[in-house]
Amino acid sequence: MTMTTPTRCDLLIVGAGPAGMAAALAAAPSGMRIAVVDDNPAPGGQIWRDGPDVQLPPLARQHRQALARHTNIEILSGTRVVGLGDRASAGDAASLILESATRGWTHHASRLILCTGARELLLPFPGWTLPGVTGAGGLQALIKAGLNVRGQRIVVAGTGPLLLAAASTARKAGAQVLRVAEMTSWAALCVFAAQLVRWPAKAWQAPTLLHPGLRANAHVLEALGSTQVEAVRLQRGNTVEQLACERIACGFGLVPNTHLGQMLGCALGERSGLQVDALMQTTVPGIYAAGECTGFGGSERALVQGAMAGHAAAGDSEAAQALQRPLAHWNAFADALHRHFPLRAEALAALPRPDTFVCRCEDVAHGALQARSSWIDAKLHTRCGMGACQGRICGAAAQVLYGWAPQPARHLLSPARIATLADAGSEPTHESVPRI
């Protein structure tokens, strides 16, 4: 079945991960015309990413099937938000410029729910630009997309439960995971593990992710190689070890994707996420937020927040309030993650050498940035943050390394085709898009 792409809806949801899917399903019974925008080929977000030989969990399949049953929900996959459009009327929450593979247009909505998720925090160290170095979550995504890692030697490093999840994915794909270097201490790991009894599903999952190569109080020092990763140097306590390997996956936690929300005028709250009230409304009327963009805390928390935002956006505040108890339960889990997996910024800030690139898009080295006083000063004198990623990678790194607070763009969220910007100012012709 095909349906035409709408240019106006009652509720526009940005992001089709767990939070976005839950929001759409919660709002659907109201009869609102709902559009869900996501740049991936299918709903699920990063945690429920589809791909060759990927066995989606039952909950993910249930949500996809439920979305397909609602005729008032339109899934715009393979579509991304590239900027802000002109507001069509006083009743609109905002209008966004959307871009698909074939065209761009301005989409108007009475209400917005931002479920933009989070991205990995990638920090520079000598050799981190060598082919074979990825984020921990990036490695998972590549494997799910069909990357063959069978027989390859892999080292995973950084901090947080994502390391063990990435190692587990690699092992199941036939890789030889030599080491999981976790920055936090054994004491903190043990305390965190003991607290998992409060979240039984997590407690059952934990033993399946344990890896014999796990080492605490350890972090990456350097990736070695000429044209490809050949080895890695790790610091563990007072000991330095070197391991020959073909891949290094480093993850230093997650950074909430708040750029769109900030462009729309939404304020930031705790842990650098979008600030929301008890009904998931941001500081801008008519705009709600849910999931990792409010501060990372896991898919279970995202599902609850998404449902709350969907109910609230549809005008059912009573149903949204009824979810406060499960939200508090998963907020406590998020608190435990932040408490027991802190980022040791002082150790990581000492890793880059003067010639280590911080901005990979524009080849801006650490030495060129040390003399600068702020993010704006760096952009004016170097081109840092002006490449394809628009500062999403180097901006977060600069915050850790130099204490800078990068500001989002005012109108465009990411590079867009000229045709998209031209079409955004006019009423588009309808095109057919697949219905999931």
Side-chain angles (χ1 to χ4, degrees):
M1 175 181 180
T2 61
M3 297 182 68
T4 57
T5 303
T7 60
R8 175 180 291 279
C9 62
D10 300 312
L11 176 62
L12 178 60
I13 300 171
V14 182
M21 297 169 87
L25 292 174
S30 70
M32 299 176 81
R33 189 180 184 189
I34 302 166
V36 184
V37 176
D38 195 90
D39 58 1
N40 288 305
Q46 297 302 317
I47 191 167
W48 290 340
R49 177 184 286 271
D50 212 340
D53 301 320
V54 173
Q55 183 65 38
L56 288 175
L59 191 58
R61 295 197 299 272
Q62 291 167 16
H63 275 70
R64 283 192 182 183
Q65 293 162 4
L67 287 173
R69 287 194 294 268
H70 289 281
T71 58
N72 61 325
I73 298 177
E74 192 70 30
I75 306 296
L76 303 178
S77 296
T79 303
R80 60 184 183 137
V81 178
V82 297
L84 304 185
D86 294 329
R87 186 171 295 191
S89 68
D92 285 346
S95 62
L96 303 178
I97 302 174
L98 306 183
E99 183 179 81
S100 69
T102 57
R103 69 177 181 91
W105 72 99
T106 299
H107 197 110
H108 305 279
S110 300
R111 296 285 185 272
L112 267 178
I113 301 180
L114 305 180
C115 304
T116 48
R119 63 190 184 278
E120 280 193 275
L121 174 60
L122 303 176
L123 296 176
F125 54 88
W128 79 304
T129 57
L130 281 171
V133 180
T134 65
L139 177 64
Q140 277 191 305
L142 288 169
I143 292 173
K144 290 180 179 180
L147 176 70
N148 183 9
V149 295
R150 183 167 299 278
Q152 293 185 3
R153 296 167 296 178
I154 296 177
V155 172
V156 182
T159 189
L162 181 59
L163 303 186
L164 290 174
S168 177
T169 299
R171 287 170 62 191
K172 290 176 181 176
Q176 181 185 358
V177 179
L178 304 178
R179 182 76 72 244
V180 179
E182 166 61 59
M183 288 195 73
T184 200
S185 66
W186 280 117
L189 288 175
C190 290
V191 172
F192 176 74
Q195 292 181 350
L196 287 180
V197 294
R198 299 170 58 189
W199 305 280
K202 299 293 185 183
W204 279 106
Q205 183 187 31
T208 67
L209 297 178
L210 285 178
H211 189 276
L214 175 64
R215 300 291 185 273
N217 196 29
H219 65 269
V220 65
L221 287 177
E222 181 180 11
L224 304 173
S226 52
T227 59
Q228 168 72 32
V229 168
E230 298 171 8
V232 63
R233 293 177 65 241
L234 301 170
Q235 178 87 43
R236 181 157 58 94
N238 296 322
T239 303
V240 174
E241 66 174 342
Q242 181 169 315
L243 299 171
C245 60
E246 283 76 45
R247 291 190 180 274
I248 305 169
C250 289
F252 299 100
L254 298 175
V255 180
N257 286 323
T258 62
H259 286 73
L260 177 57
Q262 289 179 274
M263 288 174 64
L264 290 164
C266 304
L268 297 183
E270 294 182 353
R271 295 167 185 157
S272 302
L274 295 175
Q275 181 179 325
V276 292
D277 63 15
L279 295 178
M280 296 296 114
Q281 183 165 257
T282 68
T283 53
V284 177
I287 300 180
Y288 300 79
E292 307 289 73
C293 65
T294 68
F296 72 89
S299 61
E300 296 87 356
R301 175 176 175 271
L303 286 167
V304 176
Q305 283 192 326
M308 292 178 69
H311 286 308
D316 192 350
S317 58
E318 185 176 342
Q321 289 283 7
L323 294 172
Q324 287 291 340
R325 186 171 179 178
L327 178 60
H329 178 72
W330 290 111
N331 276 341
F333 178 72
D335 292 340
L337 286 176
H338 286 273
R339 189 165 54 250
H340 298 295
F341 295 96
L343 190 67
R344 287 167 45 192
E346 71 288 345
L348 296 171
L351 294 181
R353 297 169 184 159
D355 61 347
T356 301
F357 288 144
V358 174
C359 176
R360 299 185 298 185
C361 296
E362 296 295 326
D363 291 350
V364 182
H366 178 51
L369 295 174
Q370 285 179 296
R372 308 272 58 97
S373 60
S374 67
W375 178 249
I376 296 298
D377 185 36
K379 291 183 74 172
L380 287 172
H381 288 88
T382 66
R383 290 194 60 80
C384 183
M386 299 177 71
C389 87
Q390 291 293 283
R392 284 172 177 78
I393 303 300
C394 59
Q399 202 157 6
V400 174
L401 296 177
Y402 317 116
W404 298 342
Q407 295 298 311
R410 294 185 178 183
H411 301 292
L412 287 180
L413 187 66
S414 62
R417 298 189 299 265
I418 294 177
T420 291
L421 302 181
D423 292 343
S426 60
E427 283 297 314
T429 57
H430 292 297
E431 70 175 13
S432 293
V433 294
R435 173 88 170 137
I436 66 166

